Amino acid sequence: MTEARSRRVFFALWPDDEATGHLSALAQSLATGGGRVIRPASLHLTLAFVGAVTSTQVVQLAEIAAAVRVEAFDLALDRLGFWPQRGILWAGCRQTPAALIHLLDALAFELRRAGFAIDHRFGADRVPHITLARRVRCPSLPRLGTPIRWRVSEFALVESHLHPSAASYRTLASFALKGAEA
Ligand code: 2AM
């Protein structure tokens, strides 16, 4: 019997508690004209969206990700953005940091080598971002004064469960970056 592709998975960065607190406060303050604010525990930056896979492939994906050897780095989110079609309010980077591209390249290389095609670098919009709220109407976007920073010391393989109201995410495995143990 063929195994069902019933698991919807992606690789992502989860901000630390302090950055999550800042992002969540921002989301609350900006999504005032309706829309759905993302729960603090769900705030993340998608590295690579894999999509529907089998349970066997989930195990394979975790093995592949464990082979990625990239240094830990500091990430600074220094801009807010809005995609009007779906009313997505997001936080991101004016310029994609080299270290972030390097991590994604290393992961994409290992995935490709194992036969997984990753079309959606940084998610469908191809811009590294953390979605703060959905279905927001015309927010006025302030300049993000002090950037929101965190030390990226790991990345995660995450499973997404779609519900009528919102998706929920479960971390299946985390992968430490080099130097993160210090
Ligand atoms: P979003 O936050 O911009 O909607 C889990 O669903 C994560 O993968 C989310 O961060 C989401 O981005 C992104 N995502 C969802 N569906 C996707 C798709 N079909 N292609 C690429 N990225 C997707």
Side-chain angles (χ1 to χ4, degrees):
M1 204 176 78
T2 321
E3 208 187 344
R5 289 177 177 262
S6 57
R7 319 272 306 264
R8 187 173 191 268
V9 299
F10 62 104
F11 289 99
L13 303 180
W14 243 257
D16 66 15
D17 289 350
E18 195 183 335
T20 298
H22 287 310
L23 289 164
S24 151
L26 252 180
Q28 293 286 353
S29 68
L30 294 178
T32 46
R36 187 167 56 73
V37 172
I38 306 299
R39 283 193 291 268
S42 293
L43 290 167
H44 67 274
L45 188 152
T46 296
L47 285 174
F49 185 78
V50 181
V53 294
T54 64
S55 291
T56 303
Q57 287 174 315
V58 168
V59 175
Q60 247 182 308
L61 286 166
E63 285 168 3
I64 294 163
V68 171
R69 303 301 295 151
V70 168
E71 296 283 344
F73 58 96
D74 292 317
L75 187 63
L77 304 174
D78 58 3
R79 71 161 297 197
L80 294 170
F82 181 61
W83 288 316
Q85 296 88 337
R86 287 171 294 141
I88 291 190
L89 181 64
W90 53 274
C93 309
R94 279 174 204 285
Q95 215 173 2
T96 304
L100 187 56
I101 295 175
H102 184 52
L103 170 58
L104 182 52
D105 282 348
L107 177 61
F109 175 82
E110 295 294 344
L111 289 169
R112 214 176 301 122
R113 205 157 63 148
F116 288 93
I118 294 299
D119 298 332
H120 295 126
R121 294 168 71 88
F122 299 124
D125 303 289
R126 293 167 198 272
V127 173
H129 68 280
I130 294 188
T131 297
L132 301 176
R134 299 181 194 277
R135 293 196 289 275
V136 174
R137 259 177 286 147
C138 300
S140 61
L141 292 186
R143 280 180 68 84
L144 197 50
T146 311
I148 297 172
R149 298 172 186 279
W150 84 92
R151 179 117 185 114
V152 179
S153 52
E154 61 178 24
F155 67 100
L157 174 62
V158 182
E159 181 162 14
S160 156
H161 294 277
L162 299 176
H163 310 287
S165 55
S168 64
Y169 305 117
R170 187 165 71 96
T171 299
L172 302 174
S174 295
F175 311 94
L177 300 186
K178 282 201 280 182
E181 306 80 21

